[in-house]
Amino acid sequence: MAEITEQTVVRRASGRDAGTRTRTAKAVGALAPLADISPAHWRALTGRAIEPNSYYLPDWELAVSVSARGRIGASALNAWSDTAELIGLMPVIPMRRAYNIPLPALVSADPYGTLCTPLLDRDMADDAVWRLLQQARQAGHHALILRDVALDGAAMKAFAEALRREGLRPRVLQSHLRACLDATRDAEELLREALGAKKLKELRRQRNRLAEHGAVHFDVARTQAEVATALETFLALEASGWKAKRGTALGQDFGDAAFIRRATAGLAATGQCEIVSLRAGDTPVAAGIVLRHRDRAFYFKLGVDERFAKFSPGVQLTLELTTHLCADPAVASADSTASPDHPMINPIWRGRLAIGDVLIPLRRHDPVVALIHAALALRQSIREPVRRAVQFIRKRQEKSS
């Protein structure tokens, strides 16, 4: 293992020196702000990414880092090739900020979506990971914590291989499964298998009753102008329900509202954002934001008019979205980006993605890494009972309202 590591260092030495001198000087002692990364180079990398992640597209993540509540000011771990191409990017924040734990580690920046898979060039993933790890070491850190990454994805496999060559291994801190859609299948067959004839019949009955309030139609906003208009409908729907009561609706915070308007406009310009909506006559009853990167779609958020709750507007919209995605040859899969055991999406999208938080050590036999791991485990053991209690109370409140 030592010989492999030594050969790897020699093989990369010249490229490492050149790249470090020209592009990562700011990373020694302090990382570059995310805003310093060239959007043109960033966009070029997203086109070559080994694994899709709409939440780390530049138009999205830069908007988050500028104004989203509690998420501004991310830094950038960035890797460049010898030909001045960006080959790796991981938005990060210090561990102190992420967890209120003052230890020398970097954590994936929260992109306002539950996926933090780093962007790696598919043709240079090995080199990209090595340079990202080296930059983190030079900045004085002992570990990386990748939050909400696809555990079986190509990016995580690239990290695991790079660590193996250095005699290190990643540690999974927590994991869960969440719903995803195989969009290569026939939608009607998929929904029949997922829900069964009886449930589909009940949903059709609810849709027919919804039609008593006006003809039901499904709309897809794609252009910047269409998306801007549809977004305001979405924000109004989201702010009319339980999310507003919890204070989590995007439109309730000035910074969040500014972020989502800027992000959706930017992505709509490149065909990477759609807003889908369901109407009964002229009345919008549900709307959802869908992002796209490469051949994958991401179901970001859903807003519904709870006055129509007995007709299951969120489910009705998701059924239409499923048909829409399955009919699009450019989409191979869709990530719900939902919480585990989500009561609405899980019965409809029966595919599952393994998502987790992963600790990446940067040095062998490092006692600081053990301390970081122990601190995170203690934090989780304290927070988990509280989280379960809050979920229980919220569910009781929703049932009684």
Side-chain angles (χ1 to χ4, degrees):
M1 186 64 69
E3 291 178 358
I4 293 174
T5 304
E6 188 173 303
Q7 291 169 3
T8 302
V9 171
V10 171
R11 176 172 60 84
R12 292 169 171 150
S14 61
R16 176 190 61 194
D17 293 343
T20 300
R21 281 197 304 271
T22 59
R23 288 173 293 275
T24 63
K26 290 183 180 180
V28 180
L31 298 177
L34 192 63
D36 283 4
I37 302 299
S38 159
H41 284 95
W42 191 341
R43 288 191 183 93
L45 172 60
T46 65
R48 305 187 307 271
I50 196 172
E51 188 174 346
N53 183 2
S54 284
Y55 298 121
Y56 278 165
L57 292 173
D59 288 301
W60 184 271
E61 176 57 12
L62 286 173
V64 170
S65 191
V66 167
S67 67
R69 175 171 41 180
R71 297 169 174 85
I72 65 173
S75 299
L77 278 179
N78 54 102
W80 298 80
S81 71
D82 297 337
T83 56
E85 289 184 315
L86 184 64
I87 60 173
L89 181 68
M90 178 178 168
V92 293
I93 58 175
M95 187 176 183
R96 177 192 290 273
R97 178 176 166 187
Y99 301 118
N100 199 26
I101 298 175
L103 290 173
L106 293 171
V107 181
S108 302
D110 181 352
Y112 223 124
T114 54
L115 188 67
C116 299
T117 299
L119 299 174
L120 304 174
D121 189 308
R122 60 176 175 266
D123 296 322
M124 302 185 69
D126 174 70
D127 205 33
V129 171
W130 185 86
R131 293 180 189 238
L132 293 176
L133 298 179
Q134 186 67 1
Q135 188 183 44
R137 293 182 183 115
Q138 291 174 343
H141 295 280
H142 290 247
L144 299 179
I145 300 164
L146 307 186
R147 295 191 287 190
D148 291 323
V149 295
L151 297 178
D152 299 324
M156 194 61 245
K157 289 177 181 177
F159 270 90
E161 176 60 19
L163 292 174
R164 184 191 67 79
R165 291 181 177 179
E166 297 191 18
L168 298 166
R169 63 181 182 85
R171 306 179 190 181
V172 177
L173 301 171
Q174 67 85 19
S175 64
H176 61 272
L177 298 176
R178 74 174 176 220
C180 65
L181 170 70
D182 178 359
T184 64
R185 295 191 56 192
D186 176 75
E188 185 176 346
E189 178 185 357
L190 186 149
L191 292 172
R192 187 168 56 249
E193 287 182 7
L195 298 171
K198 183 177 179 180
K199 181 62 176 177
L200 285 174
K201 182 178 179 180
E202 170 61 18
L203 289 169
R204 283 194 295 270
R205 186 190 67 80
Q206 291 178 348
R207 185 185 176 98
N208 290 335
R209 291 194 59 199
L210 178 61
E212 294 172 4
H213 296 266
V216 177
H217 49 103
F218 172 72
D219 298 315
V220 181
R222 294 186 177 90
T223 68
Q224 278 187 301
E226 291 171 346
V227 164
T229 300
L231 177 63
E232 298 309 313
T233 298
F234 167 84
L235 292 174
L237 286 171
E238 191 188 37
S240 70
W242 60 265
K243 291 182 183 179
K245 295 175 184 176
R246 293 185 188 175
T248 60
L250 286 167
Q252 289 180 289
D253 180 82
F254 178 82
D256 284 350
F259 134 67
I260 197 62
R261 290 187 176 107
R262 173 179 170 178
T264 53
L267 292 178
T270 56
Q272 293 175 302
C273 175
E274 297 177 340
I275 297 183
V276 295
S277 59
L278 195 70
R279 294 176 180 270
D282 294 330
T283 304
V285 297
I289 299 174
V290 180
L291 309 181
R292 293 182 178 223
H293 182 202
R294 306 280 298 278
D295 64 350
R296 191 172 301 172
F298 298 83
Y299 199 178
F300 172 55
K301 274 184 179 290
L302 172 68
V304 301
D305 188 333
E306 294 182 0
R307 295 175 301 171
F308 296 87
K310 62 183 177 181
F311 308 123
S312 303
V315 174
Q316 301 289 353
L317 178 66
T318 302
L319 296 181
E320 293 281 3
L321 174 62
T322 302
T323 300
H324 169 63
L325 294 175
C326 288
D328 189 338
V331 179
S333 64
D335 184 346
S336 69
T337 66
S339 58
D341 303 318
H342 192 280
M344 188 279 286
I345 197 71
N346 275 31
I348 304 172
W349 291 5
R350 291 300 182 96
R352 294 294 179 264
L353 286 172
I355 303 294
D357 297 346
V358 181
L359 176 65
I360 304 291
L362 298 178
R363 297 169 178 81
R364 297 177 66 180
H365 311 301
D366 186 353
V368 177
V369 173
L371 182 60
I372 291 169
H373 193 186
L376 290 171
L378 177 60
R379 178 181 182 274
Q380 179 66 16
S381 68
I382 294 172
R383 288 172 60 89
E384 186 60 23
V386 175
R387 185 187 68 83
R388 290 179 180 175
V390 169
Q391 285 184 335
F392 175 78
I393 293 170
R394 284 176 174 173
K395 287 180 181 178
R396 291 288 297 271
Q397 288 174 337
E398 288 172 14
K399 287 180 179 179
S400 62
S401 62

